[in-house]
Amino acid sequence: MPFAAEAFDFIVCRAAFKNFSDPVGALREMHRVLGPGGRALIIDMRNDASGKAIVDEVAKMHLGRIDAFLTRTALSALRKRAYSKADFERMAQATPFGRCDIAEQPLGFEVGLVK
């Protein structure tokens, strides 16, 4: 990232982490740009989200029939690129963060990291 070391107190990465070609490298960069005690929050899909969870979450969006179908289809496709809880734990261990806290949601995770 084009930022100085220790430039931020808080980082949020929402619905993008599964798209990074080097996720461990991304975590290392997050650590680099966080100041002491800084926090990062990654919010993204989980690869084990059930089809029922996708249907239920899309139903809460109150979309029209076609938009609901397209949203379910997109989420089902994106799920294949997502990570598991064990993946996030392994990736965090491979970085200076060392560990992470993971809150599980029906479709995804909230992964908390502290420098």
Side-chain angles (χ1 to χ4, degrees):
M1 291 188 279
F3 302 107
E6 301 184 354
F8 297 98
D9 295 322
F10 188 65
I11 297 170
V12 176
C13 177
R14 183 175 182 99
F17 199 81
K18 66 187 160 303
N19 300 311
F20 296 158
S21 61
D22 180 10
V24 173
L27 290 176
R28 287 188 180 117
E29 273 298 281
M30 289 178 187
H31 189 274
R32 184 186 69 77
V33 300
L34 281 172
R39 296 178 175 271
L41 178 63
I42 299 168
I43 305 165
D44 214 325
M45 283 195 79
R46 54 193 290 176
N47 69 353
D48 65 346
S50 70
K52 182 182 181 328
I54 291 172
V55 168
D56 291 347
E57 290 299 310
V58 172
K60 293 177 189 176
M61 297 176 191
H62 305 290
L63 302 172
R65 184 182 285 169
I66 293 171
D67 288 336
F69 170 78
L70 293 173
T71 302
R72 286 190 305 272
T73 302
L75 289 173
S76 294
L78 289 170
R79 172 180 52 188
K80 295 172 187 159
R81 298 175 69 170
Y83 296 102
S84 68
K85 181 177 180 181
D87 291 333
F88 274 113
E89 290 169 340
R90 242 185 329 274
M91 287 185 284
Q93 288 173 357
T95 71
F97 285 114
R99 63 176 299 279
C100 60
D101 294 312
I102 301 174
E104 298 182 39
Q105 306 296 325
L107 290 185
F109 299 118
E110 291 184 4
V111 180
L113 302 141
V114 180
K115 183 169 182 180

